[in-house]
Amino acid sequence: QVEQVKLLDRFSTSNKSLTGTLYLTATHLLFIDSSQKETWILHHHIAAVEKLPLTTSGCPLVIQCKNFRIVHFVVPRERDCHDIYNSLLQLSRAAKYEELYAFSYNPKQNESEQVKGWQLIDLAEEYKRMGVPNDYWQLSDANRDYKICETYPRELYVPRTASKPIIVGSSKFRSKGRFPVLSYYHKNKEAAICRCSQPLSGFSARCLEDEHMLQAISKANPSNRYMYVMDTRPKLNAMANRAAGKGYENEDNYSNIRFQFVGIENIHVMRSSLQKLLEVSGTRGLSVNDFLSGLENSGWLRHIKAVLDAAVFLAKAIAVESASVLVHCSDGWDRTSQVCSLGALLLDSYYRTIKGFMVLIEKDWISFGHKFSDRCCQLDGDPKEISPVFTQFLESVWNLTEQFPQAFEYNEAFLLQIHEHVHSCQFGNFLGNCQKEREELKLKEKTYSLWPFLLAEQKKYQNPLYNPDFSPELTLLEPNTVSFNFKFWRNMYHQFDRSMHPRQSVFNLIMNTSEQNKQLEEDIKELEAKIKQRNGQSDVVLEKEEEQTAHPAPVALKSSPCFQKEQPPMPVNDAVRTIEGSNTADNRYSELVSEFSKAEPAVVSLEYGVARMTC
Amino acid sequence: MEFAELIKTPRADNVVLHRPFHLAVEGTLCLTGHHLIFSSRRHDNAEELWLLHSNIDSIDKRFVGSLGTIVIKCKDLRIIQLDIPGMEECLNIASSIEALSTLDSVTLMYPFFYRPMFEVLEDGWSSFLLEQEFELLSSVTNEWRLSCVNKEFSVCPSYPPVVIVPKSIDDEALRKVALFRHGGRFPVLSYYHKKNGMAMMRSSQPLTGTNGRRCKEDEKLVNATLRSGRRGFVIDTRPLTVAQQARAKGGGFEQEVHYPQWRRIHKYIERFNILQESFIKLVEACNDQSHNMDRWLSKLEASNWLTHIKELLTAACLAAQCIDREGASVLVHGSEGTDSTLQVTSLAQIILDPRCRTIRGFEALIVREWLQAGHPFQQRCAQSAYSNSKQKWEAPVFLLFLECVWQIHRQFPCSFEFNEQFLIMLFEHAYASQFGTFLGNNENERAKLKLPQKTMSLWSWVNRPEELSRFQNPLYEANSLVIWPSVAPQSLQLWEGVFLRWNRPSRFLEEAEEERINIIKYNKELQARVNALRRRLAELEAEDEVEEE
């Protein structure tokens, strides 16, 4: 515990600050300011801690979080600052999985609830929903003991004609043994999305089993003879891999394939792209042109567009040409996961529901071994393995929700919350790099699943505009990927910089109104029942009443004591129309503030104008 | 002149109309004196397009064999293409459109011919009189008076006949001040902040010249707005160097020695051709669907449009901050005081005054701060982003203002009575309209053209309940606070409703907006029903109680 710590405003040029007390707990860093407002930061969310040179007011400490929160403290005594710094360094970098928050987090659930929570998402059920097994596809037991591929799940679906020797042979010809398996089956088109890693083809190597494997996939689609092989890497990268004995499929060796490069950059490019983006967006007193050129130089939106373009290509191949598609990158757990999951999301409206989105993440990301632990730096590890691949997936989905506001059951808050927990290590779902590792850690016994918790509070994540009939079950969502459709995701990268956001949120208002409508509908039912009970003939009267309601007289109503007595608690709508901190100093008309403080230092009084306007 | 002379081919059949994101339609094209009319002439689902010639910004023609193609680019930024069989027909039509869309006499414009098909409930020409404004003002302060010194437009040709000035300054003094200010635009009241009695005035630059001329009456006038012992701020919308250079041409700025109670702040706002260029570049960037991400972002950056938005918003916030937070009076001017000055004073009022965020209040603001204040609409809005005629006086000054309002609207979506469509409608009508409101460059010209007698006012049409309902914001809840927008680049956005309007399919966004409105409407219905049921129940309970007794 350290007192008299100052929390500086990240973007203020006038060094505005809040003074309060800083606490370190086993799991969180907590700052309580003088107005008792609490800021909690999970240790696992801390990406970097930096001690800046000593100033007259104390020792500055900057904490960068994985959820893009940046806090800037000034600690009065250097000793304290140093202690906090060291503690945070230690606490934010776990050496073993067992030290992670998920292993100590106790949400007061009993054992059966815990088990049920983990059973909420059942992938076997999901494959059944897609329509497999069927005449062409079957469940393979080849990897039941993780013998063929350690990073794949135990249960894999493959073409019926792919025998075990073909699977084994193919897996030996694929990087990390990740041979082609089913990711999504489109039952109307009878076409499949399959995924794998790059072939070990080098400059000329061939593998008959692998060629058979692809042929089997191709033949498992009765409606189209050819299949696409999508290499999601830029061609240059794929060619460079050949020198290392890896590479890509030679069209001459595989019958009926159409090979296609897509050009999504690798994890290192993505990492530095995000780094550049954050540097730009974190600049104080940023000009519009610096922001735009920084956005351009970071390449971030270009990468998002590339990912979405690839997904559109994939989805169209299936929906328009009824062709099956095999997707791979290098290891088949980053770009491949992005493209397969987004492609399926465009094809199948189920993944645009709350439950369906959980299933999609469980399937294409968790079960197929996206290395969450490495990519999100859950343990103190190789910084070169960190990459915002999953964040890009969420951002692509967000872009789709912006273009199709009625197509998704979930809202932006859902995406942000998932992002939060991918990094929080509070739940077991995202721990580790693959299913095998998760089983070894006994996560299902020792930790809790995130999904039931999100489902329990799903009201918060529902999109009030959602229209389940927006697109019939298996019709393709066709986004427009012209560059100007891609926007900077302010609510992600400036989630905690409140002064940058609209002061009134249409979204919250609509959400609360929609919620209130449900409550009102129930009130009406209840009231009608009561009236009926009191008065047998009320039906007749009621109709008359309803006719009159076109011109209600609320003033008279409020004066009726019975009315007040009977009033069931209305949904709280205080928060609906609140303007937060409408405050000049928040908004950085930059130089002006300082100019004024020179001229008339005593005049500037900054009240936090929080105004409430009740409905 | 007869329009018929200009129309050699009044009608062409088998014309194909192409519009982005619409299927091509075949039909008949007709030219009239003021409209280009296209009709599919199918009975089941007749599609018609009526385009005002004055909305046409530029036209291109090309031929493939005898099939001619005309590409029409409109001032509202839409682009349509017409395939016209027959070379002669096509040439005739193209030259007619060209001639009819560039008529040089104002009195030939459509507003002089337009006869409304609706009943006029309220004549918009007299809806917003300065006298009414002054009446409101008089109810809170008696420090101001209405002056008719400009009755014959003799003191300042670009000012309206009546203006509001400090009470202590008589007309004689105003005449002297007018001689000391560029174009005779002496300081007048723009806005009075009821909360603390501070005033925002606007004018043009003082004519100090190189030898530092001064005018006692001018000093007295501006000082009359100050409380004793307090200072005021002059917001000059030019950078200091430009203001200094202006002295060589007879212009200048208020010097500290002569205005000791005033602090001068130079807040540069771009003007004229720079803005027009920026506008053209932005529209070019938005119209090219083939740009990759890097090219799009660099084009967006190179247009500088959002930079202008940010600078303008910042200047307006600064003026508002001086008044509301510093409790100081403000005088805003640039050179002529007809462009950037008006942008700043009108935006500051949006921020400060809840009334300006209502529909009527906003209309009054536009009448007061733009039309009566002498923004030269006819010059500025003669051409839009597709013009080739690089005339020096064309500039999207008013559009920039509207976009800034939109940016604030986005940040405070519940605080405005009007919606985005209202702003877009104003943009359209400023550039091409059947109404006379935006014709002419100032009140003087409008009086000479007898616009109130000969044309219909936009406000007569807009303020009819049928039309108004399209422009109302269902989320509106009066907000009496000052609203401070964020000007961080991350908070600003491209105004898609204007710039991408014709470049992307908007069906899903429109449907979503409809759904939002439905949710709000449904809520009101439910509330009413619940109230009625509660009342019914209460009555029944009361009856029961009586019976029990």
Side-chain angles (χ1 to χ4, degrees), chain A residues 214-321:
Chain A
L214 263 67
Q215 206 167 15
I217 292 173
S218 181
K219 281 192 177 146
N221 179 349
S223 40
N224 202 323
R225 275 183 61 247
Y226 61 87
M227 67 181 280
Y228 282 99
V229 175
M230 274 175 85
D231 189 328
T232 58
R233 299 168 294 182
K235 188 172 181 183
L236 215 63
N237 299 21
M239 283 167 70
N241 262 303
R242 288 203 297 193
K246 300 164 188 173
Y248 53 92
E249 291 82 356
N250 183 342
E251 264 181 306
D252 299 338
N253 300 341
Y254 294 84
S255 51
N256 297 322
I257 69 161
R258 296 190 180 179
F259 187 84
Q260 180 80 33
F261 285 112
V262 178
I264 303 173
E265 300 287 351
N266 64 26
I267 58 165
H268 311 294
V269 175
M270 299 307 189
R271 180 179 56 245
S272 79
S273 171
L274 179 64
Q275 195 53 44
K276 283 181 200 156
L277 180 80
L278 294 178
E279 264 165 38
V280 172
S281 67
T283 312
R284 284 188 192 194
L286 185 63
S287 77
V288 173
N289 282 353
D290 286 347
F291 175 62
L292 290 174
S293 67
L295 201 56
E296 182 194 339
N297 290 336
S298 76
W300 184 254
L301 292 179
R302 174 160 48 88
H303 300 315
I304 300 290
K305 177 170 154 55
V307 171
L308 206 51
D309 273 331
V312 170
F313 179 89
L314 165 64
K316 278 197 173 152
I318 298 217
V320 179
E321 297 178 55

Side-chain angles (χ1 to χ4, degrees), chain A residues 160-178:
Chain A
R160 277 196 190 276
T161 51
S163 62
K164 188 142 188 201
I166 290 181
I167 292 175
V168 173
S170 169
S171 77
K172 287 192 175 136
F173 188 62
R174 294 275 169 181
S175 197
K176 308 275 194 313
R178 294 170 68 92

Side-chain angles (χ1 to χ4, degrees), chain B residues 26-284:
Chain B
E26 190 179 311
T28 301
L29 179 74
C30 293
L31 290 186
T32 73
H34 295 286
H35 284 95
L36 177 155
I37 304 160
F38 176 90
S39 169
S40 68
R41 289 163 66 97
R42 293 221 320 262
H43 296 292
D44 50 336
N45 186 16
E47 266 194 83
E48 277 194 12
L49 171 78
W50 286 66
L51 197 63
L52 263 181
H53 292 315
S54 57
N55 188 5
I56 294 173
D57 209 20
S58 83
I59 95 163
D60 294 318
K61 50 182 183 290
R62 57 169 189 265
F63 292 93
V64 179
S66 69
L67 181 75
T69 292
I70 301 181
V71 176
I72 296 176
K73 299 183 176 176
C74 303
K75 290 179 188 164
D76 60 15
L77 308 181
R78 155 174 42 168
I79 298 179
I80 60 169
Q81 183 190 324
L82 294 165
D83 296 341
I84 303 169
M87 186 178 282
E88 195 188 336
E89 282 84 356
C90 185
L91 280 172
N92 283 344
I93 287 170
S95 68
S96 298
I97 294 175
E98 210 150 1
L100 291 166
S101 62
T102 51
L103 297 173
D104 46 9
S105 167
V106 183
T107 53
L108 291 176
M109 303 286 267
Y110 187 50
F112 286 92
F113 299 83
Y114 170 72
R115 291 294 160 261
M117 303 290 284
F118 57 86
E119 193 196 342
V120 178
L121 301 172
E122 175 195 351
D123 183 7
W125 286 110
S126 48
S127 290
F128 306 102
L129 300 175
L130 202 63
E131 284 84 353
Q132 295 162 357
E133 201 65 33
F134 182 70
E135 232 168 82
L136 280 176
L137 180 68
S138 316
S139 65
V140 285
T141 168
N142 58 3
E143 293 166 342
W144 301 86
R145 72 184 184 93
L146 213 51
S147 165
C148 298
V149 69
N150 199 37
K151 204 163 61 189
E152 310 291 332
F153 303 105
S154 52
V155 176
C156 171
S158 61
Y159 267 177
V162 286
V163 289
I164 301 174
V165 292
K167 201 170 207 171
S168 56
I169 308 298
D170 61 21
D171 283 356
E172 206 36 56
L174 291 178
R175 285 193 188 93
K176 285 189 183 148
V177 177
L179 295 173
F180 181 64
R181 293 274 172 178
H182 190 122
R185 296 176 66 92
F186 53 87
V188 295
L189 181 72
S190 160
Y191 170 68
Y192 180 83
H193 198 44
K194 267 186 276 185
K195 193 168 123 192
N196 58 11
M198 291 302 133
M200 177 161 60
M201 314 240 292
R202 54 177 158 76
S203 69
S204 59
Q205 63 177 341
L207 303 174
T208 55
T210 37
N211 48 9
R213 208 157 70 93
R214 64 187 285 198
C215 171
K216 291 269 188 204
E217 287 79 6
D218 190 80
E219 291 157 27
K220 203 176 148 211
L221 198 171
V222 298
N223 287 338
T225 66
L226 296 178
R227 293 280 143 83
S228 60
R230 301 298 295 271
R231 35 158 92 236
F233 290 89
V234 176
I235 297 179
D236 192 326
T237 62
R238 304 162 295 178
L240 181 59
T241 49
V242 174
Q244 280 166 341
Q245 283 159 12
R247 287 189 299 192
K249 292 184 204 148
F253 52 86
E254 293 81 359
Q255 265 154 335
E256 286 84 354
V257 271
H258 302 142
Y259 299 85
Q261 286 165 279
W262 292 80
R263 265 175 66 83
R264 220 177 48 246
I265 302 173
H266 290 274
K267 192 76 200 72
Y268 184 39
I269 295 171
E270 281 293 356
R271 48 203 74 196
F272 309 129
N273 53 332
I274 307 257
L275 294 182
Q276 184 68 8
E277 248 171 62
S278 165
F279 184 34
I280 291 171
K281 278 188 195 162
L282 176 67
V283 171
E284 236 172 54

